[in-house]
Amino acid sequence: MLLLVLVFGWFAGYFVNYASDVLPLTRRFSQPACTHCQTTFSWTDYLTLQACRSCGKGRNLRTWLVQILAAASFVYFWLIPSKALGFWLGAIVLIYFGIITVIDLEHRLILHPTSVFGAVLGLMVGTYIYSHKYGLLGGIGQSLLGGIIGFGIMFLLYQLGTLVARYRSRKMQAAGQVDDDEEALGGGDVYLLGVLGLMLGKNFILNALILGVLYGGIVSLIFIIALLMRRRYSSDALMTFIPYGPYFIIAAFYLLFL
Ligand SMILES: [Zn+2]
C-alpha cells in the first residue's frame, strides 16, 4: 500500500510540474515544451524526465525537487493524515498548493484560472471542515465568511501597497532610474487570500494572514540585514519585491496539515 502511495505521489509530482510548465505560458493544458528552446517534448520523454532532444539541456532542478517532495509528502501524509482534511482531500490541496507556489516563485504570478479552481476547492474544503460542527449550511457560511475576510483584508493591503509603489516609482524617477512598474504586493495575492479564507473559514484566516506576514517579515529582515552588511541597503531596499504568496501558502499548509 505504501508503495502505491509513493507511486501516486510521484504522479502528483508530474501534474504539479506539468501545470507549472504550461499554464503560465499558454494558460491551458498544452503539449509541454523545453524552457530553453521551446521544442515540444514527446510525452514519453517528458514523463521519463529526459533532457531536451533539440538543445540537449536537462530538466531543471525544480522538476526533480517537485517529484521527490511530492512522493515524500504523500507517503508522510498517508502515515500521518491531516486531521482537518483526511488523506484524499489533503492530497488535492497539496497538489493545488504545489502548483500555486511554483508558478508564483518562478513567474511572480497567481493565474486567474487557478484562482477560480481554488475558489471551488476552497469552498469544498471549508464546508467539509466546518460542516462537522455547524451542519452543511453553517459550514458553507463559515467558509464564505472566511473567504470574504481574507479577500477584504488583502484588498485593503493591496491598496496600501499601491501607494507604496507610487512613492517608490517617484523615488526611482528622481534618482534618474526607469520606473519598472513593480507592485509592492501582487494583485493575485488578493485572490489567493480569498481562496485560503474559503479553506480555513472565518476562525483561522486571520491566523494564516498573521503567520504569513510574520514568515515573510522574518525572511525580509534577514534579507535587509544581509544588504546592510554588504552596505547596499539605501539603494536596494526599496527596489526589492517580496513575493508574499508562498508565505501565506506555508501558513495555510501549517494550519491545515500540521
Ligand atoms: Zn531545448
Side-chain angles (χ1 to χ4, degrees), residues 49-198:
L49 308 179
Q50 296 294 311
C52 171
R53 279 181 197 274
S54 173
C55 71
K57 293 228 169 66
R59 304 287 292 280
N60 57 14
L61 179 67
R62 178 262 288 171
T63 303
W64 294 94
L65 275 179
V66 164
Q67 289 302 134
I68 293 162
L69 270 174
S73 60
F74 269 55
V75 169
Y76 180 87
F77 289 115
W78 176 261
L79 296 171
I80 308 161
S82 152
K83 283 201 189 90
L85 304 174
F87 177 76
W88 295 104
L89 194 54
I92 298 170
V93 172
L94 274 181
I95 292 170
Y96 175 72
F97 280 178
I99 294 169
I100 300 288
T101 306
V102 173
I103 294 178
D104 198 10
L105 286 177
E106 291 182 350
H107 301 271
R108 293 178 180 181
L109 259 180
I110 292 174
L111 303 170
H112 287 302
T114 56
S115 294
V116 171
F117 173 82
V120 176
L121 177 64
L123 188 62
M124 279 168 57
V125 167
T127 305
Y128 174 79
I129 293 173
Y130 285 97
S131 59
H132 298 307
K133 197 172 168 192
Y134 298 99
L136 182 63
L137 278 179
I140 292 173
Q142 295 283 320
S143 172
L144 285 175
L145 215 55
I148 290 166
I149 293 170
F151 185 92
I153 292 179
M154 210 55 186
F155 181 76
L156 292 177
L157 287 175
Y158 177 71
Q159 299 300 330
L160 200 72
T162 315
L163 289 178
V164 173
R166 218 171 282 160
Y167 166 77
R168 181 177 166 279
S169 101
R170 265 210 306 274
K171 280 213 97 164
M172 286 182 86
Q173 275 161 0
Q177 288 168 303
V178 183
D179 182 16
D180 57 3
D181 277 330
E182 186 79 89
E183 288 179 307
L185 194 73
D189 288 333
V190 179
Y191 294 103
L192 177 66
L193 260 290
V195 168
L196 296 181
L198 288 168

Side-chain angles (χ1 to χ4, degrees), residues 33-41 51-57:
C34 171
T35 46
H36 301 284
C37 70
Q38 275 73 50
T39 309
T40 49
F41 278 108
C52 171
R53 279 181 197 274
S54 173
C55 71
K57 293 228 169 66

